Amino acid sequence: MRIVDPTFGTPVEEDTPTVVAADVPARSLCLFSNSKPGANELLRGVAGHLEAERGFAGIGFSSKPNAAAGAAPDVLDHLAAQYRMAVVAIGD
Amino acid sequence: MPDLGPAEWFTWAEEQGWGDGLPTVAPTEDLVEAMLAGLAGGVPDDVPELGPLPPSRLVPGLRAIAANAVMAGCRPVDLPVVLAALQGLQHEAYNLHGSLATTHPCAPMVLVSGPARGRLGMNSGVNCFGQGTRANAVVGRAVSLTLLNIGGARPGTMDRSTQGSPAKYTFCFAENTDDSPWEPFSVRRGFAADDSVVTVMAAEPPHNINDHGSTTGEEILTTVAGTMAQSGSNNVYVRGPHLLVLGPEHAATLHRDGWTVEAIRHHLWERARIPLDRVSESNHRQFADWGIKPDGDAYTVSTGPDQLHVLVAGGPGKHSAWIPSFGSTEAVSVRVPGG
């Protein structure tokens, strides 16, 4: 028998990812939380270790407006323009 | 593929990761074509173009949606309602991605108003949230299967619900306008009485409101308000909509005592309050982080009476239902294509 694939869909062309600005320092790092208390705590712990053991400084922090909503694109663009790396936590 | 019997098909489909754990109908080409041919006059002009479904970001075509409808057990007459529901889910205010990926147990609730209820033979009366009526069962299931199979919202991977809920299999019911003393819900939302309308909301399953003792509308609303004032509800700090589905007997008592829908909404807004001592200290801080402050000595349950939606469904008996939501969602109403 011939089956119609119930998972079929057409991929969309995704927006081009934001390119990091050339003048962003190589070790610039931000933390990005889904805004839940557990995620914030995880990120604080990560930041402490990275500062103490890896010499990171000036670690930035941002979060979604709330855990139930998506991150605003302009916030992500802003972070991409400021930092080379991000650690994302979605832990509860 | 070789011809498979129903049991072999079920096993094979499971191995592909297709389905919800219950047996499905094989979406053979002839059944899918028959499903599509059943759209009135072919594909109506007002069939919506759907965008990408999260989290897979795949744009579903009509054939794939029809295949999921076949798998769910739909008949061709059910398909326009499924399409309208999927259109509603894609409204930005519904927050489909968030509602699929969350740890909260919300499911895509589908409420049907207008003539489609009769056309599909939907149950708006006795046991309207429960088993036993094909249209209710398969329309909600087709929506869920589409989100699973095309959207990729698979439990444990992209669907991160801590416990889930039975409503994730199917959650579809119809408005009972015959036994409602008020205008239909869809008409109050701006649609014509002869429009078929689907309203979707990322919702918890119905919470029962048992009130056999109250004899006045105000007493019934005291019980409703007490049921809605739950400190463990998302709506306390995420806010968003609630649906109050009054059983016909509760609705009749309220109407007898002069209550309008607007009066009910305002009354519940004032009375459905959560006393501060029912909220833990850590949650007070958590709510404050979300910008939620108590109103006097209690928390409200949303942002205002406009988020407390009221309609009638069900049969005889002294029960109503409170349907809280994911919070970060809205009740979105969409006209069914083809009318």
Side-chain angles (χ1 to χ4, degrees):
Chain A
M1 60 188 187
R2 294 178 64 84
I3 296 293
V4 176
D5 182 355
T7 67
F8 180 78
T10 309
V12 289
E13 285 189 24
E14 299 291 351
D15 294 338
T16 305
T18 302
V19 177
V20 177
D23 56 350
V24 174
R27 287 172 61 79
S28 57
L29 172 72
C30 73
L31 310 172
F32 193 73
S33 168
N34 75 341
S35 85
K36 289 195 176 182
N40 295 343
E41 195 172 326
L42 274 172
L43 288 173
R44 280 196 295 271
V46 168
H49 281 290
L50 289 172
E51 287 168 347
E53 299 167 19
R54 301 288 176 181
F56 277 83
I59 296 174
F61 181 87
S62 187
S63 65
K64 297 202 299 178
N66 65 63
D74 57 340
V75 171
L76 297 179
D77 287 346
H78 173 73
L79 294 177
Q82 301 293 316
Y83 300 99
R84 182 74 66 177
M85 297 175 283
V87 176
V88 178
I90 57 171
D92 282 8
Chain B
M1 60 185 296
D3 283 352
L4 300 176
E8 295 164 306
W9 157 256
F10 180 33
T11 301
W12 189 86
E14 263 198 312
E15 289 168 357
Q16 312 311 306
W18 298 354
D20 55 10
L22 290 170
T24 54
V25 176
T28 56
E29 281 190 335
D30 56 337
L31 287 178
V32 171
E33 292 308 322
M35 179 70 67
L36 289 170
L39 287 170
V43 180
D45 293 337
D46 53 351
V47 166
E49 281 203 15
L50 297 171
L53 285 175
S56 69
R57 305 279 300 155
L58 295 175
V59 179
L62 266 180
R63 265 172 73 82
I65 295 170
N68 282 283
V70 168
M71 289 178 74
C74 286
R75 306 150 300 175
V77 70
D78 301 316
L79 185 58
V81 177
V82 174
L83 292 170
L86 291 170
Q87 184 190 10
L89 295 180
Q90 293 211 315
H91 193 288
E92 187 177 358
Y94 181 90
N95 188 15
L96 182 57
H97 191 131
S99 69
L100 292 173
T102 180
T103 51
H104 184 259
C106 58
M109 182 206 78
V110 180
L111 161 66
V112 182
S113 305
R117 297 168 305 152
R119 205 158 57 233
L120 273 62
M122 298 199 73
N123 181 10
S124 63
V126 174
N127 200 39
C128 61
F129 297 130
Q131 81 289 16
T133 302
R134 180 171 180 176
N136 295 41
V138 300
V139 168
R141 190 184 185 204
V143 170
S144 292
L145 283 176
T146 301
L147 298 177
L148 264 167
N149 289 334
I150 306 176
R154 302 213 152 274
T157 54
M158 292 306 294
D159 177 341
R160 305 298 301 179
S161 184
T162 303
Q163 296 180 312
S165 88
K168 282 177 172 266
Y169 284 101
T170 182
F171 187 5
C172 177
F173 67 105
E175 181 180 9
N176 184 345
T177 49
D178 290 345
D179 293 321
S180 171
W182 303 296
E183 273 194 315
F185 179 68
S186 54
V187 172
R188 284 185 271 124
R189 288 175 73 79
F191 293 90
D194 58 357
D195 281 339
S196 294
V197 176
V198 166
T199 300
V200 293
M201 184 175 88
E204 293 183 17
H207 297 225
N208 186 50
I209 305 169
N210 174 335
D211 192 342
H212 285 71
S214 295
T215 57
T216 69
E218 185 164 2
E219 286 183 324
I220 290 169
L221 291 182
T222 298
T223 306
V224 173
T227 306
M228 293 174 67
Q230 297 298 319
S231 57
S233 164
N234 265 29
N235 292 108
V236 178
Y237 68 102
V238 188
R239 320 308 264 170
H242 302 241
L243 211 62
L244 170 62
V245 184
L246 289 163
E249 293 187 18
H250 284 164
T253 301
L254 284 157
H255 183 251
R256 181 204 66 196
D257 291 353
W259 288 89
T260 63
V261 168
E262 281 310 302
I264 291 170
R265 297 171 88 176
H266 282 85
H267 186 84
L268 291 174
W269 170 248
E270 294 297 333
R271 300 299 176 89
R273 300 286 169 112
I274 302 164
L276 297 184
D277 63 4
R278 284 171 49 193
V279 175
S280 72
E281 280 307 312
S282 295
N283 268 326
H284 285 303
R285 290 193 292 274
Q286 152 93 340
F287 296 171
D289 286 345
W290 282 64
I292 305 302
K293 297 175 182 166
D295 181 9
D297 58 358
Y299 285 100
T300 57
V301 295
S302 189
T303 49
D306 59 314
Q307 288 286 32
L308 312 181
H309 302 291
V310 179
L311 65 131
V312 175
K318 303 288 188 186
H319 296 270
S320 291
W322 167 53
I323 303 179
S325 71
F326 174 41
S328 184
T329 186
E330 293 292 343
V332 176
S333 297
V334 172
R335 186 177 170 274
V336 175

